[in-house]
Amino acid sequence: MFNSRRSAEVLEQEFLPIRAKVLEVAAALDRLDRGAGSLASDARRAQIQAAIQILLRPDDDRAEQVQLIFSRQFRDDWREEFDI
Amino acid sequence: MYYIDPHIHMVSRTTDDYETLAKMGCVALSEPAFWAGYDRGSVDGFRDYFEQLIGFEPKRAGWYGIQHFCWLCINAKEAENVALAREVIAMIPQFLDRPGVLGIGEIGLNKNTKNEATVFLEHIDLAIRTDEQILIHTPHLEDKYQGTRMILDMLCDDGRVNRERVLVDHVEEHTVRHVLDEGFWAGMTLYPVSKCTPGRAADIVELYGPERLLVNSAGDWGPSKPTAVPDFILEMRRRGHSESLIRRVVYDNPVAFFSQSRNFVFNPPDVTEAAGV
Ligand SMILES: [Zn+2]
């Protein structure tokens, strides 16, 4: 309803920004790998990997899914834990 | 286009910023009480801060024709000190009838702790007892989703809360639906690294429509851009959206939300443009 643009038009506007951002991520990952030591035990490295996997899915809520990868879990029973 | 920035911390900005905002079409703004960059040592620190928000900032804004409004509270970060928070909450009613005070805010959570939740509930109770509107800060980054859900739980548990008079701020893709579905207003904060970008905020408007959605810059101590709302306006125009849709989000919606506050005495700058005639 609030998005009447054609995808070709969106691509026209977004192609170069997407290309630039993908390149930035690729270069940053290379930079991580060039550093000394291992990140195998760092949860943030796994989060990045999981977020990249989401980009490859055909879903229409990838931004939301990526956000949730980087979010702490919500538990319904938090009030009991806090006694509130 | 005339616009209103509903969430911007001008105490942390220069007078030059007021001038730039005015040149970009900002006609009014609202400034929620927040963290001063350091933890205040006593209730008197908050008293002085409230005086600054109510007294000096409207004057500084007025030099450039901008109308300044504010919200009062002890922010979530300092609310970890429950004893101090209770002193501040007890003092707030002294200020609620002062010109330009729109309500209680920005209250909320920071690290989602028990103390923060306790003080949040006491602020909600204060707002209800004094019939004030509420402006809510949701946490940053990894704490946002959990904290937003906790905040919604607390608001929805209290049957006295009028959801049309509550703005839940700093929503992003994973929290906006929860806030709107429960009937609250939602604010998107345009921030360089955390929070939203103008493009993602425009996406959210396209996905959810303009109803009960606001955009703000939150300009504060951190790397932030006080002119972020004009960036959003430009992004919406580049996508071919109508001026009336854009104006709805950046002008009509803030006026509609703020108009529920008794201290929102607003002089529209140009009735013709504002009315879309
Ligand atoms: Zn703020």
Side-chain angles (χ1 to χ4, degrees), chain B residues 92-139:
Chain B
I92 288 173
Q94 296 171 23
F95 293 91
L96 292 176
D97 290 324
R98 299 277 294 274
V101 177
L102 298 183
I104 304 300
E106 56 183 305
I107 57 171
L109 299 176
N110 180 47
K111 290 291 168 197
N112 309 338
T113 67
K114 180 176 175 171
N115 283 350
E116 291 168 13
T118 300
V119 172
F120 177 81
L121 288 169
E122 293 184 16
H123 272 116
I124 294 294
D125 187 63
L126 168 70
I128 289 164
R129 283 188 284 110
T130 53
D131 196 30
E132 293 292 335
Q133 285 196 256
I134 300 168
L135 191 152
I136 294 172
H137 164 94
T138 56

mmCIF file of all heavy atoms in Angstrom, chain B residues 92-139:
data_model
loop_
_atom_site.group_PDB
_atom_site.id
_atom_site.type_symbol
_atom_site.label_atom_id
_atom_site.label_comp_id
_atom_site.label_asym_id
_atom_site.label_seq_id
_atom_site.Cartn_x
_atom_site.Cartn_y
_atom_site.Cartn_z
ATOM 1 N N ILE B 92 9.208 15.376 41.032
ATOM 2 C CA ILE B 92 8.723 15.717 39.685
ATOM 3 C C ILE B 92 7.395 16.497 39.679
ATOM 4 O O ILE B 92 7.252 17.462 38.922
ATOM 5 C CB ILE B 92 8.634 14.443 38.801
ATOM 6 C CG1 ILE B 92 10.062 13.984 38.440
ATOM 7 C CG2 ILE B 92 7.823 14.680 37.527
ATOM 8 C CD1 ILE B 92 10.139 12.647 37.718
ATOM 9 N N PRO B 93 6.408 16.136 40.518
ATOM 10 C CA PRO B 93 5.128 16.858 40.443
ATOM 11 C C PRO B 93 5.260 18.377 40.595
ATOM 12 O O PRO B 93 4.446 19.117 40.037
ATOM 13 C CB PRO B 93 4.315 16.258 41.592
ATOM 14 C CG PRO B 93 4.837 14.856 41.699
ATOM 15 C CD PRO B 93 6.318 14.981 41.432
ATOM 16 N N GLN B 94 6.305 18.835 41.295
ATOM 17 C CA GLN B 94 6.505 20.296 41.413
ATOM 18 C C GLN B 94 6.650 20.970 40.061
ATOM 19 O O GLN B 94 6.455 22.180 39.940
ATOM 20 C CB GLN B 94 7.802 20.595 42.188
ATOM 21 C CG GLN B 94 7.832 20.139 43.607
ATOM 22 C CD GLN B 94 9.251 20.298 44.178
ATOM 23 O OE1 GLN B 94 10.049 21.092 43.692
ATOM 24 N NE2 GLN B 94 9.554 19.533 45.226
ATOM 25 N N PHE B 95 7.084 20.198 39.046
ATOM 26 C CA PHE B 95 7.412 20.804 37.751
ATOM 27 C C PHE B 95 6.338 20.570 36.687
ATOM 28 O O PHE B 95 6.429 21.113 35.596
ATOM 29 C CB PHE B 95 8.736 20.215 37.223
ATOM 30 C CG PHE B 95 9.935 20.591 38.048
ATOM 31 C CD1 PHE B 95 10.349 19.786 39.097
ATOM 32 C CD2 PHE B 95 10.654 21.752 37.766
ATOM 33 C CE1 PHE B 95 11.456 20.129 39.863
ATOM 34 C CE2 PHE B 95 11.760 22.095 38.519
ATOM 35 C CZ PHE B 95 12.165 21.280 39.577
ATOM 36 N N LEU B 96 5.348 19.747 37.000
ATOM 37 C CA LEU B 96 4.453 19.277 35.929
ATOM 38 C C LEU B 96 3.519 20.350 35.371
ATOM 39 O O LEU B 96 2.960 20.166 34.288
ATOM 40 C CB LEU B 96 3.653 18.056 36.405
ATOM 41 C CG LEU B 96 4.508 16.797 36.615
ATOM 42 C CD1 LEU B 96 3.659 15.651 37.170
ATOM 43 C CD2 LEU B 96 5.185 16.356 35.316
ATOM 44 N N ASP B 97 3.339 21.439 36.099
ATOM 45 C CA ASP B 97 2.478 22.494 35.562
ATOM 46 C C ASP B 97 3.265 23.607 34.883
ATOM 47 O O ASP B 97 2.683 24.601 34.448
ATOM 48 C CB ASP B 97 1.593 23.079 36.680
ATOM 49 C CG ASP B 97 0.536 22.067 37.111
ATOM 50 O OD1 ASP B 97 0.053 21.334 36.221
ATOM 51 O OD2 ASP B 97 0.221 21.993 38.310
ATOM 52 N N ARG B 98 4.570 23.429 34.806
ATOM 53 C CA ARG B 98 5.390 24.473 34.172
ATOM 54 C C ARG B 98 5.182 24.445 32.657
ATOM 55 O O ARG B 98 4.916 23.384 32.079
ATOM 56 C CB ARG B 98 6.870 24.243 34.514
ATOM 57 C CG ARG B 98 7.167 24.316 36.021
ATOM 58 C CD ARG B 98 7.355 25.724 36.529
ATOM 59 N NE ARG B 98 8.551 26.340 35.955
ATOM 60 C CZ ARG B 98 9.794 26.216 36.439
ATOM 61 N NH1 ARG B 98 10.018 25.475 37.514
ATOM 62 N NH2 ARG B 98 10.801 26.850 35.863
ATOM 63 N N PRO B 99 5.326 25.599 31.980
ATOM 64 C CA PRO B 99 5.079 25.660 30.539
ATOM 65 C C PRO B 99 5.985 24.699 29.768
ATOM 66 O O PRO B 99 7.174 24.587 30.063
ATOM 67 C CB PRO B 99 5.422 27.112 30.181
ATOM 68 C CG PRO B 99 5.386 27.858 31.462
ATOM 69 C CD PRO B 99 5.713 26.887 32.556
ATOM 70 N N GLY B 100 5.413 24.005 28.810
ATOM 71 C CA GLY B 100 6.193 23.164 27.908
ATOM 72 C C GLY B 100 6.476 21.769 28.407
ATOM 73 O O GLY B 100 7.059 20.960 27.678
ATOM 74 N N VAL B 101 6.086 21.433 29.641
ATOM 75 C CA VAL B 101 6.337 20.075 30.144
ATOM 76 C C VAL B 101 5.225 19.145 29.630
ATOM 77 O O VAL B 101 4.059 19.303 29.975
ATOM 78 C CB VAL B 101 6.381 20.049 31.691
ATOM 79 C CG1 VAL B 101 6.578 18.613 32.188
ATOM 80 C CG2 VAL B 101 7.487 20.952 32.206
ATOM 81 N N LEU B 102 5.607 18.179 28.797
ATOM 82 C CA LEU B 102 4.603 17.343 28.121
ATOM 83 C C LEU B 102 4.272 16.066 28.876
ATOM 84 O O LEU B 102 3.272 15.423 28.582
ATOM 85 C CB LEU B 102 5.093 16.967 26.709
ATOM 86 C CG LEU B 102 5.316 18.131 25.732
ATOM 87 C CD1 LEU B 102 5.716 17.593 24.360
ATOM 88 C CD2 LEU B 102 4.078 19.008 25.614
ATOM 89 N N GLY B 103 5.124 15.667 29.821
ATOM 90 C CA GLY B 103 4.823 14.431 30.537
ATOM 91 C C GLY B 103 6.051 13.808 31.170
ATOM 92 O O GLY B 103 7.040 14.488 31.442
ATOM 93 N N ILE B 104 5.969 12.490 31.384
ATOM 94 C CA ILE B 104 7.018 11.729 32.069
ATOM 95 C C ILE B 104 7.856 10.985 31.019
ATOM 96 O O ILE B 104 7.336 10.207 30.237
ATOM 97 C CB ILE B 104 6.388 10.702 33.044
ATOM 98 C CG1 ILE B 104 5.447 11.399 34.043
ATOM 99 C CG2 ILE B 104 7.476 9.924 33.782
ATOM 100 C CD1 ILE B 104 6.088 12.451 34.916
ATOM 101 N N GLY B 105 9.165 11.234 31.000
ATOM 102 C CA GLY B 105 10.005 10.546 30.023
ATOM 103 C C GLY B 105 11.413 11.114 29.988
ATOM 104 O O GLY B 105 11.672 12.155 30.568
ATOM 105 N N GLU B 106 12.353 10.424 29.300
ATOM 106 C CA GLU B 106 12.172 9.123 28.761
ATOM 107 C C GLU B 106 12.533 8.091 29.809
ATOM 108 O O GLU B 106 13.692 7.913 30.168
ATOM 109 C CB GLU B 106 13.015 8.925 27.494
ATOM 110 C CG GLU B 106 14.498 9.172 27.692
ATOM 111 C CD GLU B 106 15.303 9.041 26.393
ATOM 112 O OE1 GLU B 106 15.222 7.990 25.739
ATOM 113 O OE2 GLU B 106 16.019 10.001 26.060
ATOM 114 N N ILE B 107 11.471 7.418 30.297
ATOM 115 C CA ILE B 107 11.656 6.327 31.237
ATOM 116 C C ILE B 107 11.848 5.051 30.432
ATOM 117 O O ILE B 107 11.631 5.036 29.234
ATOM 118 C CB ILE B 107 10.441 6.190 32.182
ATOM 119 C CG1 ILE B 107 9.143 5.992 31.371
ATOM 120 C CG2 ILE B 107 10.323 7.424 33.056
ATOM 121 C CD1 ILE B 107 7.937 5.633 32.210
ATOM 122 N N GLY B 108 12.231 3.973 31.094
ATOM 123 C CA GLY B 108 12.384 2.731 30.338
ATOM 124 C C GLY B 108 13.388 1.815 30.982
ATOM 125 O O GLY B 108 13.552 1.808 32.204
ATOM 126 N N LEU B 109 14.043 1.027 30.149
ATOM 127 C CA LEU B 109 15.053 0.093 30.636
ATOM 128 C C LEU B 109 16.354 0.366 29.904
ATOM 129 O O LEU B 109 16.355 0.915 28.798
ATOM 130 C CB LEU B 109 14.608 -1.356 30.404
ATOM 131 C CG LEU B 109 13.305 -1.796 31.093
ATOM 132 C CD1 LEU B 109 12.949 -3.218 30.684
ATOM 133 C CD2 LEU B 109 13.435 -1.708 32.620
ATOM 134 N N ASN B 110 17.461 -0.027 30.530
ATOM 135 C CA ASN B 110 18.780 0.147 29.926
ATOM 136 C C ASN B 110 19.453 -1.216 29.793
ATOM 137 O O ASN B 110 19.716 -1.696 28.702
ATOM 138 C CB ASN B 110 19.595 1.116 30.792
ATOM 139 C CG ASN B 110 20.978 1.354 30.254
ATOM 140 O OD1 ASN B 110 21.138 1.594 29.066
ATOM 141 N ND2 ASN B 110 21.990 1.276 31.116
ATOM 142 N N LYS B 111 19.671 -1.868 30.940
ATOM 143 C CA LYS B 111 20.250 -3.214 30.928
ATOM 144 C C LYS B 111 19.225 -4.257 31.369
ATOM 145 O O LYS B 111 19.575 -5.395 31.679
ATOM 146 C CB LYS B 111 21.492 -3.263 31.832
ATOM 147 C CG LYS B 111 22.668 -2.473 31.263
ATOM 148 C CD LYS B 111 23.224 -3.144 30.023
ATOM 149 C CE LYS B 111 24.202 -2.251 29.261
ATOM 150 N NZ LYS B 111 24.414 -2.725 27.877
ATOM 151 N N ASN B 112 17.974 -3.857 31.467
ATOM 152 C CA ASN B 112 16.860 -4.763 31.772
ATOM 153 C C ASN B 112 16.997 -5.407 33.149
ATOM 154 O O ASN B 112 16.763 -6.617 33.297
ATOM 155 C CB ASN B 112 16.726 -5.846 30.681
ATOM 156 C CG ASN B 112 16.689 -5.250 29.292
ATOM 157 O OD1 ASN B 112 16.354 -4.080 29.122
ATOM 158 N ND2 ASN B 112 17.018 -6.033 28.291
ATOM 159 N N THR B 113 17.372 -4.631 34.147
ATOM 160 C CA THR B 113 17.560 -5.171 35.493
ATOM 161 C C THR B 113 16.287 -5.027 36.335
ATOM 162 O O THR B 113 15.369 -4.276 35.979
ATOM 163 C CB THR B 113 18.682 -4.426 36.239
ATOM 164 O OG1 THR B 113 18.248 -3.069 36.481
ATOM 165 C CG2 THR B 113 19.965 -4.392 35.427
ATOM 166 N N LYS B 114 16.300 -5.688 37.452
ATOM 167 C CA LYS B 114 15.158 -5.616 38.366
ATOM 168 C C LYS B 114 14.962 -4.189 38.896
ATOM 169 O O LYS B 114 13.838 -3.705 38.989
ATOM 170 C CB LYS B 114 15.375 -6.585 39.536
ATOM 171 C CG LYS B 114 14.236 -6.563 40.521
ATOM 172 C CD LYS B 114 14.386 -7.588 41.624
ATOM 173 C CE LYS B 114 13.240 -7.392 42.619
ATOM 174 N NZ LYS B 114 13.159 -8.438 43.618
ATOM 175 N N ASN B 115 16.059 -3.520 39.250
ATOM 176 C CA ASN B 115 15.934 -2.149 39.752
ATOM 177 C C ASN B 115 15.346 -1.214 38.701
ATOM 178 O O ASN B 115 14.501 -0.365 38.996
ATOM 179 C CB ASN B 115 17.301 -1.604 40.192
ATOM 180 C CG ASN B 115 17.733 -2.156 41.536
ATOM 181 O OD1 ASN B 115 16.941 -2.799 42.236
ATOM 182 N ND2 ASN B 115 18.990 -1.926 41.902
ATOM 183 N N GLU B 116 15.801 -1.364 37.478
ATOM 184 C CA GLU B 116 15.256 -0.528 36.394
ATOM 185 C C GLU B 116 13.759 -0.760 36.228
ATOM 186 O O GLU B 116 12.983 0.187 36.059
ATOM 187 C CB GLU B 116 15.959 -0.837 35.072
ATOM 188 C CG GLU B 116 17.412 -0.402 35.000
ATOM 189 C CD GLU B 116 18.137 -0.980 33.790
ATOM 190 O OE1 GLU B 116 17.472 -1.501 32.877
ATOM 191 O OE2 GLU B 116 19.385 -0.925 33.771
ATOM 192 N N ALA B 117 13.361 -2.036 36.302
ATOM 193 C CA ALA B 117 11.936 -2.359 36.143
ATOM 194 C C ALA B 117 11.118 -1.781 37.298
ATOM 195 O O ALA B 117 10.022 -1.242 37.098
ATOM 196 C CB ALA B 117 11.745 -3.871 36.049
ATOM 197 N N THR B 118 11.685 -1.846 38.509
ATOM 198 C CA THR B 118 10.997 -1.296 39.680
ATOM 199 C C THR B 118 10.753 0.199 39.508
ATOM 200 O O THR B 118 9.640 0.702 39.729
ATOM 201 C CB THR B 118 11.860 -1.537 40.947
ATOM 202 O OG1 THR B 118 12.032 -2.943 41.091
ATOM 203 C CG2 THR B 118 11.211 -0.959 42.180
ATOM 204 N N VAL B 119 11.795 0.917 39.089
ATOM 205 C CA VAL B 119 11.667 2.371 38.931
ATOM 206 C C VAL B 119 10.755 2.710 37.752
ATOM 207 O O VAL B 119 9.983 3.669 37.809
ATOM 208 C CB VAL B 119 13.064 3.026 38.787
ATOM 209 C CG1 VAL B 119 12.944 4.499 38.431
ATOM 210 C CG2 VAL B 119 13.858 2.841 40.080
ATOM 211 N N PHE B 120 10.798 1.895 36.697
ATOM 212 C CA PHE B 120 9.900 2.113 35.555
ATOM 213 C C PHE B 120 8.447 2.056 36.032
ATOM 214 O O PHE B 120 7.641 2.933 35.726
ATOM 215 C CB PHE B 120 10.160 1.044 34.488
ATOM 216 C CG PHE B 120 9.246 1.130 33.295
ATOM 217 C CD1 PHE B 120 9.498 2.045 32.281
ATOM 218 C CD2 PHE B 120 8.131 0.310 33.182
ATOM 219 C CE1 PHE B 120 8.655 2.140 31.179
ATOM 220 C CE2 PHE B 120 7.281 0.398 32.078
ATOM 221 C CZ PHE B 120 7.548 1.312 31.079
ATOM 222 N N LEU B 121 8.125 1.031 36.827
ATOM 223 C CA LEU B 121 6.742 0.876 37.302
ATOM 224 C C LEU B 121 6.336 2.055 38.184
ATOM 225 O O LEU B 121 5.193 2.515 38.125
ATOM 226 C CB LEU B 121 6.605 -0.442 38.076
ATOM 227 C CG LEU B 121 6.654 -1.706 37.207
ATOM 228 C CD1 LEU B 121 6.783 -2.952 38.065
ATOM 229 C CD2 LEU B 121 5.405 -1.798 36.318
ATOM 230 N N GLU B 122 7.282 2.578 38.961
ATOM 231 C CA GLU B 122 6.936 3.709 39.830
ATOM 232 C C GLU B 122 6.717 4.983 39.010
ATOM 233 O O GLU B 122 5.888 5.825 39.356
ATOM 234 C CB GLU B 122 8.002 3.872 40.932
ATOM 235 C CG GLU B 122 7.951 2.668 41.872
ATOM 236 C CD GLU B 122 8.898 2.737 43.079
ATOM 237 O OE1 GLU B 122 9.394 3.849 43.383
ATOM 238 O OE2 GLU B 122 9.122 1.680 43.704
ATOM 239 N N HIS B 123 7.453 5.125 37.914
ATOM 240 C CA HIS B 123 7.203 6.250 36.999
ATOM 241 C C HIS B 123 5.815 6.133 36.349
ATOM 242 O O HIS B 123 5.116 7.133 36.189
ATOM 243 C CB HIS B 123 8.247 6.264 35.873
ATOM 244 C CG HIS B 123 9.501 7.012 36.188
ATOM 245 N ND1 HIS B 123 10.723 6.395 36.261
ATOM 246 C CD2 HIS B 123 9.744 8.333 36.395
ATOM 247 C CE1 HIS B 123 11.657 7.308 36.516
ATOM 248 N NE2 HIS B 123 11.092 8.486 36.599
ATOM 249 N N ILE B 124 5.473 4.916 35.936
ATOM 250 C CA ILE B 124 4.161 4.708 35.299
ATOM 251 C C ILE B 124 3.060 5.103 36.282
ATOM 252 O O ILE B 124 2.092 5.785 35.922
ATOM 253 C CB ILE B 124 3.984 3.216 34.888
ATOM 254 C CG1 ILE B 124 4.983 2.836 33.798
ATOM 255 C CG2 ILE B 124 2.555 2.926 34.434
ATOM 256 C CD1 ILE B 124 4.779 3.540 32.500
ATOM 257 N N ASP B 125 3.245 4.681 37.516
ATOM 258 C CA ASP B 125 2.257 5.015 38.538
ATOM 259 C C ASP B 125 2.153 6.530 38.715
ATOM 260 O O ASP B 125 1.057 7.086 38.804
ATOM 261 C CB ASP B 125 2.638 4.331 39.856
ATOM 262 C CG ASP B 125 1.560 4.518 40.897
ATOM 263 O OD1 ASP B 125 0.438 4.034 40.666
ATOM 264 O OD2 ASP B 125 1.825 5.182 41.921
ATOM 265 N N LEU B 126 3.301 7.200 38.716
ATOM 266 C CA LEU B 126 3.308 8.667 38.831
ATOM 267 C C LEU B 126 2.540 9.290 37.664
ATOM 268 O O LEU B 126 1.712 10.190 37.852
ATOM 269 C CB LEU B 126 4.762 9.180 38.836
ATOM 270 C CG LEU B 126 4.927 10.694 38.673
ATOM 271 C CD1 LEU B 126 4.456 11.436 39.922
ATOM 272 C CD2 LEU B 126 6.387 11.054 38.363
ATOM 273 N N ALA B 127 2.814 8.819 36.445
ATOM 274 C CA ALA B 127 2.166 9.392 35.260
ATOM 275 C C ALA B 127 0.653 9.212 35.333
ATOM 276 O O ALA B 127 -0.109 10.120 34.971
ATOM 277 C CB ALA B 127 2.713 8.731 33.998
ATOM 278 N N ILE B 128 0.224 8.072 35.822
ATOM 279 C CA ILE B 128 -1.221 7.822 35.895
ATOM 280 C C ILE B 128 -1.857 8.693 36.975
ATOM 281 O O ILE B 128 -2.896 9.309 36.756
ATOM 282 C CB ILE B 128 -1.488 6.329 36.136
ATOM 283 C CG1 ILE B 128 -1.129 5.561 34.848
ATOM 284 C CG2 ILE B 128 -2.940 6.085 36.507
ATOM 285 C CD1 ILE B 128 -0.977 4.091 35.025
ATOM 286 N N ARG B 129 -1.177 8.785 38.116
ATOM 287 C CA ARG B 129 -1.733 9.600 39.211
ATOM 288 C C ARG B 129 -1.834 11.064 38.823
ATOM 289 O O ARG B 129 -2.728 11.776 39.270
ATOM 290 C CB ARG B 129 -0.865 9.457 40.474
ATOM 291 C CG ARG B 129 -1.089 8.144 41.221
ATOM 292 C CD ARG B 129 -0.361 8.133 42.553
ATOM 293 N NE ARG B 129 1.076 7.927 42.424
ATOM 294 C CZ ARG B 129 2.006 8.852 42.662
ATOM 295 N NH1 ARG B 129 1.657 10.061 43.069
ATOM 296 N NH2 ARG B 129 3.299 8.580 42.513
ATOM 297 N N THR B 130 -0.896 11.526 37.979
ATOM 298 C CA THR B 130 -0.874 12.954 37.628
ATOM 299 C C THR B 130 -1.474 13.196 36.237
ATOM 300 O O THR B 130 -1.410 14.313 35.731
ATOM 301 C CB THR B 130 0.572 13.481 37.673
ATOM 302 O OG1 THR B 130 1.399 12.627 36.859
ATOM 303 C CG2 THR B 130 1.117 13.488 39.086
ATOM 304 N N ASP B 131 -2.001 12.143 35.605
ATOM 305 C CA ASP B 131 -2.641 12.241 34.289
ATOM 306 C C ASP B 131 -1.678 12.776 33.219
ATOM 307 O O ASP B 131 -2.050 13.600 32.387
ATOM 308 C CB ASP B 131 -3.886 13.137 34.377
ATOM 309 C CG ASP B 131 -4.786 12.964 33.152
ATOM 310 O OD1 ASP B 131 -4.784 11.852 32.579
ATOM 311 O OD2 ASP B 131 -5.456 13.933 32.762
ATOM 312 N N GLU B 132 -0.442 12.294 33.253
ATOM 313 C CA GLU B 132 0.565 12.746 32.290
ATOM 314 C C GLU B 132 0.761 11.734 31.173
ATOM 315 O O GLU B 132 0.547 10.538 31.364
ATOM 316 C CB GLU B 132 1.913 12.957 33.009
ATOM 317 C CG GLU B 132 1.918 14.097 34.013
ATOM 318 C CD GLU B 132 1.780 15.468 33.374
ATOM 319 O OE1 GLU B 132 2.138 15.617 32.181
ATOM 320 O OE2 GLU B 132 1.295 16.387 34.066
ATOM 321 N N GLN B 133 1.215 12.233 30.023
ATOM 322 C CA GLN B 133 1.620 11.348 28.936
ATOM 323 C C GLN B 133 2.972 10.714 29.273
ATOM 324 O O GLN B 133 3.691 11.201 30.153
ATOM 325 C CB GLN B 133 1.732 12.130 27.636
ATOM 326 C CG GLN B 133 0.367 12.466 27.044
ATOM 327 C CD GLN B 133 0.469 12.885 25.591
ATOM 328 O OE1 GLN B 133 0.378 14.059 25.288
ATOM 329 N NE2 GLN B 133 0.643 11.928 24.702
ATOM 330 N N ILE B 134 3.333 9.681 28.516
ATOM 331 C CA ILE B 134 4.559 8.929 28.824
ATOM 332 C C ILE B 134 5.394 8.760 27.555
ATOM 333 O O ILE B 134 4.866 8.411 26.501
ATOM 334 C CB ILE B 134 4.202 7.535 29.395
ATOM 335 C CG1 ILE B 134 3.385 7.673 30.687
ATOM 336 C CG2 ILE B 134 5.457 6.711 29.641
ATOM 337 C CD1 ILE B 134 2.748 6.372 31.162
ATOM 338 N N LEU B 135 6.696 9.002 27.688
ATOM 339 C CA LEU B 135 7.635 8.756 26.584
ATOM 340 C C LEU B 135 8.668 7.743 27.070
ATOM 341 O O LEU B 135 9.280 7.924 28.125
ATOM 342 C CB LEU B 135 8.310 10.071 26.161
ATOM 343 C CG LEU B 135 9.116 10.034 24.853
ATOM 344 C CD1 LEU B 135 9.120 11.435 24.214
ATOM 345 C CD2 LEU B 135 10.546 9.577 25.065
ATOM 346 N N ILE B 136 8.844 6.675 26.293
ATOM 347 C CA ILE B 136 9.641 5.532 26.764
ATOM 348 C C ILE B 136 10.870 5.283 25.912
ATOM 349 O O ILE B 136 10.804 5.237 24.684
ATOM 350 C CB ILE B 136 8.756 4.267 26.812
ATOM 351 C CG1 ILE B 136 7.687 4.462 27.886
ATOM 352 C CG2 ILE B 136 9.595 3.023 27.095
ATOM 353 C CD1 ILE B 136 6.645 3.389 27.916
ATOM 354 N N HIS B 137 11.983 5.090 26.602
ATOM 355 C CA HIS B 137 13.258 4.712 25.979
ATOM 356 C C HIS B 137 13.349 3.195 25.989
ATOM 357 O O HIS B 137 13.190 2.566 27.031
ATOM 358 C CB HIS B 137 14.399 5.322 26.806
ATOM 359 C CG HIS B 137 15.747 4.737 26.544
ATOM 360 N ND1 HIS B 137 16.623 5.278 25.644
ATOM 361 C CD2 HIS B 137 16.371 3.658 27.076
ATOM 362 C CE1 HIS B 137 17.735 4.554 25.632
ATOM 363 N NE2 HIS B 137 17.610 3.564 26.494
ATOM 364 N N THR B 138 13.624 2.590 24.836
ATOM 365 C CA THR B 138 13.915 1.149 24.830
ATOM 366 C C THR B 138 15.428 0.976 24.707
ATOM 367 O O THR B 138 16.111 1.826 24.139
ATOM 368 C CB THR B 138 13.173 0.417 23.698
ATOM 369 O OG1 THR B 138 13.499 1.027 22.431
ATOM 370 C CG2 THR B 138 11.675 0.493 23.902
ATOM 371 N N PRO B 139 15.956 -0.128 25.259
ATOM 372 C CA PRO B 139 17.421 -0.281 25.350
ATOM 373 C C PRO B 139 18.088 -0.376 23.975
ATOM 374 O O PRO B 139 17.416 -0.482 22.952
ATOM 375 C CB PRO B 139 17.591 -1.602 26.102
ATOM 376 C CG PRO B 139 16.271 -1.948 26.655
ATOM 377 C CD PRO B 139 15.243 -1.265 25.844
#
